[in-house]
Amino acid sequence: MNIKSLLLGSAAALIAVSGARAADAVTVAEPEPAEYVKICDVYGAGYFYIPGTETCLRIGGYVRYDIGVGDAGSFDGVNHVPDHQGDGTHSTYYKNTRFTLKTWTGQETELGTLKTYTETRFNYGNSSGDFLNQNASNADDWQGRNKSLSLRFAWIQLGGLRVGKDDTAFDTFIGYAGNVIQDTLVPYGGQESNVVQYYFDAGSGFSGLISLEEGAGKVGTIDSYVPHVVGGLKYKGDWGAVTGVVAYDSNYEEVAGKVRLDVNVSKELTLFVMGGYGTDDNLNDNASNVIDASSRGFYKQWGGNWAIWGGGTYKFNDKTAFNAQISYDEWKNLAVAANVAYTVVPGFTVTAEVDYLNAGKFDDADFNNWTKANKKSSLGGILRFQRNF
């Protein structure tokens, strides 16, 4: 056998083996194209499409840290805490840390926009108040602890129809009160409730709603199939807005209403004034009522028949704002709250507030102590750190 024949034979053998191996080779499947999250800008910033659906989702919330000092009646203080070694009592800080998780969804349908909103709050800290009575049910609330996990909001809305857990329309539709932390030293109405609501937009700045509500708490939760009813009308323009709400309390068969005026004085200054009036014959009838309201119902929570709130916001610049609120009711409760809010960096704001309450009927036998004040005049302050995301 010559060298040429040997080389040809070796080449043929290599070709045969290579062909056999090629026949046994494993075919690797092409990877599926990755489905990246798509931005949804229909409902504003922060939304994205849930993969495989036409639903847009936004996730957000905040982390907050509050430090309060002063008198219990201002909602800022923790008073008469027992000394661990038996040396009387002391005042200490009110502190609360909160983590709030929020979700929003939106989707366009043939019946209008389908939306949801949820807000869940986690709290750790102590509670403001006076703890002189160590036999009270809340005697240990000056102690730091995991205080509450609460579902604050959880509602579904299709077009103008909203159902689920919300704040009462008596507050949401008119806009609560001012941009201060302790805005309820003179209260302006109940908040949490299951609701069935319908919002309508009449055009040209006019809107309205009707809300059927369950209420909350011992005094506020309905005791029959008859719901509380809230109705509201609003006119809004570039200059500001005029809003009115009226509520029927089905438990005590009383009526309360509020009217609010908001004015955009300038780019820097906005002002508001709000007045409330409510009937209270049945709310005052503790002799006949099985559940005493002592003049404060779910909607008319202020003292007496009438109350007024006023205040505003002045923006010094993009970072700094001054907020103030003054409130007063027929029981001569006078409250003042003022703060400066400073945005350190976008999403992180520090607010320093001073609060004052003069409880007008403090020395009277029929005094209904809303803030649990331990003296006629209460003064306190609170410092808040909040990171929104």
Side-chain angles (χ1 to χ4, degrees):
M1 178 181 295
N2 56 30
I3 294 176
K4 184 177 180 180
S5 298
L6 181 60
L7 291 175
L8 288 174
S10 298
L14 289 172
I15 292 172
V17 171
S18 299
R21 289 183 177 176
D24 294 335
V26 177
T27 302
V28 178
E30 291 292 328
E32 293 290 333
E35 186 173 2
Y36 294 99
V37 174
K38 294 169 57 180
I39 300 300
C40 173
D41 57 5
V42 178
Y43 308 106
Y47 284 85
F48 60 89
Y49 285 99
I50 299 174
T53 75
E54 296 180 356
T55 300
C56 298
L57 170 66
R58 177 186 169 195
I59 300 173
Y62 61 82
V63 175
R64 172 189 293 172
Y65 181 58
D66 289 341
I67 307 172
V69 296
D71 299 321
S74 68
F75 288 145
D76 301 320
V78 180
N79 304 149
H80 293 113
V81 172
D83 184 272
H84 284 74
Q85 299 184 60
D87 186 18
T89 63
H90 311 283
S91 291
T92 188
Y93 299 99
Y94 161 70
K95 291 190 176 185
N96 189 72
T97 298
R98 174 184 293 174
F99 166 56
T100 295
L101 180 65
K102 302 179 181 182
T103 69
W104 300 258
T105 67
Q107 180 180 341
E108 295 306 308
T109 76
E110 64 273 15
L111 298 178
T113 303
L114 176 61
K115 299 188 291 185
T116 67
Y117 175 68
T118 68
E119 182 174 324
T120 306
R121 297 178 179 178
F122 306 79
N123 290 280
Y124 178 86
N126 59 3
S127 299
S128 64
D130 187 288
F131 299 96
L132 183 62
N133 181 6
Q134 280 296 292
N135 293 317
S137 60
N138 67 336
D140 293 334
D141 285 358
W142 58 271
Q143 302 169 10
R145 66 204 185 280
N146 281 299
K147 294 195 293 187
S148 64
L149 166 61
S150 64
L151 181 63
R152 196 66 175 81
F153 298 92
W155 48 255
I156 305 166
Q157 182 167 334
L158 178 60
L161 178 66
R162 178 181 294 183
V163 297
K165 186 175 187 293
D166 199 355
D167 279 353
T168 169
F170 196 64
D171 294 340
T172 59
F173 190 72
I174 205 167
Y176 299 91
N179 294 324
V180 294
I181 297 171
Q182 308 296 13
D183 65 339
T184 59
L185 293 170
V186 173
Y188 46 79
Q191 293 192 353
E192 298 179 67
S193 180
N194 282 321
V195 301
V196 178
Q197 301 175 338
Y198 188 79
Y199 292 80
F200 62 89
D201 186 348
S204 300
F206 290 95
S207 61
L209 96 161
I210 186 76
S211 181
L212 308 180
E213 305 186 347
E214 180 187 26
K218 191 172 184 178
V219 169
T221 304
I222 57 174
D223 56 14
S224 70
Y225 287 118
V226 181
H228 304 312
V229 182
V230 179
L233 290 172
K234 176 182 294 186
Y235 175 75
K236 186 175 182 179
D238 294 337
W239 55 270
V242 178
T243 312
V245 290
V246 61
Y248 172 72
D249 184 330
S250 70
N251 288 340
Y252 296 93
E253 299 179 329
E254 301 284 14
V255 177
K258 295 184 293 188
V259 176
R260 173 170 175 148
L261 173 66
D262 290 278
V263 178
N264 301 323
V265 178
S266 66
K267 183 179 178 180
E268 296 81 18
L269 179 63
T270 59
L271 299 173
F272 85 94
V273 62
M274 180 170 69
Y277 183 87
T279 61
D280 62 0
D281 289 344
N282 295 328
L283 291 171
N284 285 322
D285 192 7
N286 287 355
S288 300
N289 292 333
V290 174
I291 298 176
D292 295 341
S294 301
S295 188
R296 298 187 190 272
F298 185 63
Y299 298 104
K300 193 209 74 66
Q301 292 184 344
W302 52 87
N305 293 116
W306 58 265
I308 189 168
W309 303 260
T313 295
Y314 184 82
K315 294 182 179 180
F316 295 99
N317 49 53
D318 291 340
K319 285 181 170 287
T320 311
F322 173 74
N323 305 289
Q325 176 181 303
I326 301 175
S327 47
Y328 187 77
D329 64 23
E330 189 179 11
W331 283 0
K332 299 180 181 180
N333 294 307
L334 170 65
V336 181
N339 68 48
V340 175
Y342 179 72
T343 301
V344 182
V345 293
F348 179 44
T349 301
V350 178
T351 304
E353 178 168 303
V354 176
D355 304 300
Y356 172 78
L357 173 71
N358 182 271
K361 292 172 67 70
F362 184 82
D363 297 318
D364 296 353
D366 62 345
F367 176 52
N368 185 324
N369 195 353
W370 172 259
T371 69
K372 304 298 185 288
N374 50 20
K375 55 185 178 179
K376 188 176 181 70
S377 293
S378 300
L379 179 66
I382 189 167
L383 184 64
R384 170 170 290 177
F385 303 84
Q386 183 162 317
R387 166 67 164 107
N388 297 311
F389 60 89

